[in-house]
Amino acid sequence: TVGLANRLLAERTHPQCDVFWGNEEMRTRQLAALNVWRATNGVASFGARRRCLVINTNLVTGQDLPRSLLELTNAAWRGRLAIAFPQFGTTATHFHVLRQRWGDEPWRQWCRGLVANDARVLDGNSTVVKMVGRGEAELGLTDTDDVAAGQREGLPVATGPDLPETRLFIPNTVGLVRGAPHPENARKLADYLQRPGTVERLVEAGALQYPAVPPLDPSGLQPDWESLLAELDSTTEELNEIFLR
């Protein structure tokens, strides 16, 4: 997603793409702030999935599970946790929003604590689920659609406890590129993606878990998007410093 966003930015003066269909929200909002989308009805969201913990059901019992993500830096979880690189995708959004939730220094200490606790840092959420399913890690941070995919493959995985710090809903987004070469067909595709029947098919396929973003939960994560985007580059630099070794 980061690569696609950067390409759309690079092509702003000579658009090659008509429609951007993204499965996470942060980069779509970043591009909106940079006027990549059409000025009128240029961006929309539909359906949702959610951040979650994934557990290996053969290795972890309910009594073992953390009651807060802050507990993942405890010695009891040393070498047992897997996460995707937090500079990219939904994991990036999650880490940025957790910084807002906890504040700068507690968040920094937690990120460094994950590294010190030998967390496995992997290429993506689906890789996290597969590693947990193979028993090479026992617990991971991922998305609900990746857990569903792992279950379809027969892996012994399940979503972990529903913690307030994982209660981040992630809609699909569609953006219509400003000055795109095929504007009418772009609108047709965007409209098709948002149809209830299309969304239902995506839910049936496991690509989405919810046909719409559920009502706001005050105990869950509530991104302040304006602040998050203003700090996007600086937070990413800190994540690079901590996790790229």
Side-chain angles (χ1 to χ4, degrees):
T1 305
V2 175
L4 291 173
N6 288 337
R7 181 168 177 178
L8 288 168
L9 287 173
E11 294 175 352
R12 269 189 298 182
T13 60
H14 55 289
Q16 307 297 301
C17 174
D18 297 291
V19 180
F20 174 73
W21 178 13
N23 66 358
E24 61 96 8
E25 190 173 9
M26 184 166 71
R27 296 296 168 177
T28 303
R29 286 180 174 270
Q30 178 195 24
L31 294 171
L34 295 170
N35 298 316
V36 170
W37 313 130
R38 292 185 196 175
T40 304
N41 299 322
V43 64
S45 61
F46 57 96
R49 53 204 173 115
R50 186 173 68 83
R51 290 293 289 172
C52 65
L53 287 166
V54 58
I55 63 170
N56 183 303
T57 55
N58 293 331
L59 301 175
V60 180
T61 67
Q63 294 179 340
D64 296 330
L65 293 171
R67 292 166 293 180
S68 165
L69 294 188
L70 292 169
E71 295 181 16
L72 296 177
T73 59
N74 293 351
W77 291 106
R78 180 176 298 277
R80 301 169 68 190
L81 173 70
I83 63 172
F85 274 106
Q87 298 94 318
F88 309 104
T90 56
T91 307
T93 304
H94 195 184
F95 272 61
H96 284 247
V97 179
L98 286 172
R99 184 173 192 167
Q100 292 182 338
R101 175 91 166 200
W102 292 331
D104 292 350
E105 194 51 38
W107 174 83
R108 259 184 224 109
Q109 292 177 5
W110 182 72
C111 290
R112 291 173 181 145
L114 294 178
V115 174
N117 215 26
D118 295 330
R120 312 284 188 90
V121 186
L122 308 172
D123 287 339
N125 292 315
S126 62
T127 308
V128 168
V129 172
K130 289 174 182 176
M131 177 168 275
V132 171
R134 293 193 300 264
E136 297 171 32
E138 298 175 33
L139 179 75
L141 277 171
T142 188
D143 298 334
T144 51
D145 61 318
D146 293 293
V147 179
Q151 291 172 333
R152 287 195 300 272
E153 294 173 12
L155 296 177
V157 294
T159 56
D162 178 17
L163 305 176
E165 299 141 325
T166 59
R167 214 166 289 150
L168 176 64
F169 290 95
I170 305 155
N172 264 220
T173 56
V174 58
L176 297 173
V177 176
R178 186 188 297 264
H182 309 99
E184 292 305 317
N185 283 339
R187 169 56 62 191
K188 290 178 183 178
L189 175 56
D191 289 345
Y192 171 77
L193 291 174
Q194 297 172 71
R195 287 180 188 171
T198 307
V199 175
E200 288 173 8
R201 289 171 64 189
L202 289 168
V203 172
E204 290 170 1
L208 296 171
Q209 274 60 56
Y210 308 91
V213 177
L216 185 65
D217 181 350
S219 69
L221 296 176
Q222 303 173 41
D224 176 348
W225 288 108
E226 183 176 356
S227 173
L228 189 152
L229 292 174
E231 299 169 358
L232 177 61
D233 291 340
S234 60
T235 301
T236 301
E237 287 176 9
E238 288 203 59
L239 289 168
N240 286 340
E241 179 185 342
I242 294 169
F243 288 96
L244 291 183
R245 297 177 182 273

